Amino acid sequence: MQPFDGSMPPPEVAPGSATSVPGVHEGWRRRHPISPVINSIDIAYRSIRQLWPGLIVLVSFGVRIFALVAAAVAILLLAWTVIAHLRFQYRLSATELEVRSGVLTHNVRSLPVDRVQQVGMNQKLRHQVFGVVSVDVQSAGGAGSPEIELSVLTVPEGERIRSALNAARQRAATLDDTLVPGSPLPPPVVEVAPVLLFQQPTRALFKWSLANSPLLMFVVVAPLFTTAGGFVRERVGDRFPTGAVGVSIAVALLALIALVAATAVNMVRYHDLCLTQQGDELRLRYGLLTQQQTDVPRERIQVVTETITVPGRVAGVVGVTGHNASGSTGTDTTYLPAVPSADRVRVTELLAPGLALHASLRPHPR
């Protein structure tokens, strides 16, 4: 393959084509055809979480009216996501990742590959059902949110984007003065097998989850102070003795349910967390129902934070976070919530070799 020398503009590839022209950057690609369905589910879920009081009011007008309005909204939402899918295209060259999108307005976004901070691959339960993945590309100016989100791709395509971005970023870092916009992608990198650096012990995660669970009890207790509280009292109030004994039993049972539920949420969220290294890339993977994967170049980690909370002190674990160049807050982090205290120095050195962060986590002076 002869590199593009910039003497003439690269030939345009027909929109939607998944083929590449030899010697030129790849053609425009589309997301997976199931994208409108999954994106409609995502939008509906977020809308219900924010507009649930309006849904309650709508139900009060009758089931028939509610069903008609819900059907009309579903049709409009699906139509919108289908148009958005048809107008969304992306392509990757040796110098930039380009995205064209927009329904009422046309947006073109270009992200230089040398500005890529990390690439995340997420698989929620609905993605796992259809065998697809969401790819989030974080840049130096992303301010905690993905600069480019390729919401529904096949797993092989997501891995290809991740690998191609990594190869293009490395090439841009070493040949920055010789790269020409629109030059072809570098040849595929023969990736070595990932090396396991740290795997979060299940016992440490359980202790951390159990210690943190009381902080989440308000999720269960809060409905007792709302309209749902009256429903609960009417349905189960007569099942307990009256007076202080009944109240004590009800509170104890409620606390137990909240403790078990909150512990289960933490265990499912950070299930099988492991940190691996592949070349110069660190990869953090975790999650049971929603599988999260974050790839970040080790040299992009700027700050390492060690945090021990009151529940963490009880559980004997430390939270270790590696912040990349995008900032110290938001989603642009490598977070290990339950590192055993005996392993915290070793894990810190894995994230940032040579960083002498050996200060003890002592209680604050009186």
Side-chain angles (χ1 to χ4, degrees), residues 191-206:
E191 296 186 343
V192 298
V195 178
L196 180 63
L197 301 179
F198 172 77
Q199 186 165 15
Q200 189 167 258
T202 303
R203 182 177 180 180
L205 177 61
F206 176 76

Side-chain angles (χ1 to χ4, degrees), residues 27 33 97 102 118 157 160 180 221 275 278 292 317 323 327 333 338 348:
L97 174 62
Q118 68 181 38
E157 175 67 3
R160 187 192 72 85
V180 178
V221 176
L275 179 68
Q278 192 170 24
Q292 304 276 356
V317 298
H323 305 278
T333 57
T348 299

Side-chain angles (χ1 to χ4, degrees), residues 51-249:
L51 304 176
W52 61 268
L55 295 178
I56 296 177
V57 174
L58 187 60
V59 171
S60 65
F61 287 96
V63 177
R64 183 178 179 181
I65 294 179
F66 175 79
L68 291 175
V69 173
V73 171
I75 293 174
L76 291 175
L77 180 58
L78 184 59
W80 179 276
T81 54
V82 168
I83 297 174
H85 168 73
L86 296 176
R87 291 177 62 88
F88 190 102
Q89 297 173 324
Y90 67 94
R91 67 180 178 184
L92 179 63
S93 70
T95 57
E96 61 187 359
L97 174 62
E98 299 176 89
V99 172
R100 300 193 304 198
S101 62
V103 176
L104 301 179
T105 59
H106 189 196
N107 301 316
V108 178
R109 177 168 293 184
S110 299
L111 174 61
V113 295
D114 59 346
R115 302 298 177 90
V116 174
Q117 298 297 326
Q118 68 181 38
V119 181
M121 295 178 60
N122 305 320
Q123 262 194 324
K124 298 179 180 179
L125 189 58
R126 49 186 172 272
H127 293 94
Q128 298 177 41
V129 171
F130 294 101
V132 294
V133 68
S134 176
V135 178
D136 301 330
V137 183
Q138 182 73 46
S139 72
S145 59
E147 193 68 25
I148 291 180
E149 181 179 1
L150 305 176
S151 59
V152 183
L153 304 178
T154 63
V155 176
E157 175 67 3
E159 289 289 351
R160 187 192 72 85
I161 290 292
R162 182 199 63 79
S163 179
L165 279 175
N166 182 31
R169 179 186 56 80
Q170 293 178 352
R171 185 185 182 194
T174 57
L175 303 175
D176 186 59
D177 295 334
T178 61
L179 287 179
V180 178
S183 57
L185 288 170
V189 177
V190 179
E191 296 186 343
V192 298
V195 178
L196 180 63
L197 301 179
F198 172 77
Q199 186 165 15
Q200 189 167 258
T202 303
R203 182 177 180 180
L205 177 61
F206 176 76
K207 291 168 61 179
W208 174 81
S209 301
L210 188 63
N212 275 277
S213 296
L215 301 179
L216 302 178
M217 285 186 180
F218 73 92
V219 176
V220 179
V221 176
L224 296 181
F225 300 95
T226 64
T227 305
F231 175 81
V232 172
R233 287 189 294 271
E234 291 176 1
R235 295 290 181 178
V236 302
D238 57 350
R239 299 178 182 270
F240 295 97
T242 59
V245 175
V247 173
S248 300
I249 295 176

